[in-house]
Amino acid sequence: LLEKNRVVRQNPGERNYHIFYAILAGTNNQQREAFGLTHPESYHYLRQSHCIADKTINDKDTFQDVLNAMQTMQFTEENISEILRLLAGILHAGNIEFMTAGGAQVASKSALCWTSELLGLNSDQLAEVLTHRSMILRGEEISTPLTVEQAVDSRDSMAMALYSQCFNWIIHKLNNRIRGKEDFKSISILDIFGFENFEVNRFEQFNINYANEKLQEYFNKHIFSLEQLEYNKEGLVWVDVNWMDNGECLDLIEKKLGLLALMNEESHFPKATDDTLLEKLHSQHSKNPIYVKPRVAVHCFGVRHYAAEVVYDVRGMLEKNRDTFRDDILNMLRESRLDFVYDLFEHVLSRNKQDTLRSSTKHRRPTVSSQFKESLHSLMATLSTSNPYFIRCIKPNTHKDVTVLTICVKLQTVLPLHKVSGSGDL
């Protein structure tokens, strides 16, 4: 689940993705001049959260680590340059500002020119697409001026799409590089810790915790059900371990008319809002003991997960789930002079081709959460054919102080096949 939203906005005290700061700290003078790069404080996408530096991270060293990793995975110098160029283009895109003059107009020509140059676009066409919405109505193309707020959304939508498609391209290239023959044997490492419960929990936390809930069910099945069944067969003398069955929570999330189904249903209605989504969730599940309907919070719902009760803020959920990306922006990027940018968007489906407003689900563009669910189920299918070996870790405290940790010794004696680690890091 790529948190694309982080590219364009962060919470106070948070940084953007590390690669942006690494590029600014690690590129040489020739690259900086070619990409028009300066300091992190110069870019809206990096300075808005008022958190530029992280004392625990050396951005220059990070940049070198990334370059070394790419070279190890046989990325060509051209590949590396194309990726850096695109990331620089995203930074400049964030500095494109707008003013009102009979609709939104680009107010920062320098940022517009740098973005166009780095992404291989026509600057006039880029300005037009960011400030006007173009659509086909009864065979005619109609252009509608956007407000400043809508223009900012267009700019941010383009930046998120560029980062996301580049990220997917890198993953695809890595997978192709390491894929063996059809009969190859492998050892996979899955880090299943990551349950999130922040002061404000949103769409990303909901999906992440859903994944953790699913993986916890798998762990329960293997450790408590199958292992104890094995001990009974072998006639071992031991004490039953009580464990929490989280099946009801998973039913709430993924079954018919569950939270995911209702979220996806609302995402396909053009006039649906986060408020209408919340109304449906409350109406359908308020009597479910696993579901929490807060008495005061007007934008929230809660889920009693295996690890803790988590309250989720619905604001922004439908927008993130729809992952809307206008066709006119997509078509412009497909006309890029750069083969790399063109290739990233060549096979991206447009809304018109998918006709997302049709009633037939066969023609709908899949939502982010439905793609995430499909990916998760694919992972579970892979896990079901494997022989798992579990390493249970203790989460370190937030200050990363050295502390004395007590581990239940019974776990080692009851389950001798599974090692217990006292470290939070594998």
Side-chain angles (χ1 to χ4, degrees), residues 41 49 186 198 206 313 400 415:
E41 294 83 1
S49 66
S186 66
F198 302 136
F206 175 76
D313 192 323
K400 298 182 181 178
L415 309 173

Side-chain angles (χ1 to χ4, degrees), residues 7 241 254 313 332 355:
V7 177
V241 178
E254 63 179 8
D313 192 323
M332 176 191 64
D355 197 8

Side-chain angles (χ1 to χ4, degrees), residues 258-326:
L259 303 182
L260 278 176
L262 293 176
M263 191 182 299
N264 288 328
E265 180 184 83
E266 283 296 278
S267 296
H268 290 302
F269 290 122
K271 294 184 179 180
T273 66
D274 295 321
D275 289 335
T276 61
L277 168 64
L278 189 61
E279 286 176 14
K280 283 194 174 182
L281 295 179
H282 286 341
S283 173
Q284 185 68 36
H285 298 292
S286 59
K287 295 181 180 178
N288 189 320
I290 308 298
Y291 183 86
V292 180
K293 180 181 179 182
R295 294 181 180 179
V296 179
V298 293
H299 302 291
C300 300
F301 70 92
V303 177
R304 292 188 173 93
H305 290 283
Y306 75 93
E309 179 181 310
V310 182
V311 175
Y312 298 101
D313 192 323
V314 297
R315 286 174 290 188
M317 276 198 173
L318 289 187
E319 179 189 355
K320 290 178 180 179
N321 197 36
R322 288 172 179 141
D323 192 21
T324 50
F325 181 46
R326 290 204 338 253

Side-chain angles (χ1 to χ4, degrees), residues 320-344:
K320 290 178 180 179
N321 197 36
R322 288 172 179 141
D323 192 21
T324 50
F325 181 46
R326 290 204 338 253
D327 281 356
D328 45 2
I329 300 177
L330 171 60
N331 293 332
M332 176 191 64
L333 292 171
R334 282 176 176 161
E335 295 175 9
S336 170
R337 300 186 300 273
L338 304 179
D339 290 341
F340 182 66
V341 175
Y342 168 81
D343 290 343
L344 292 182

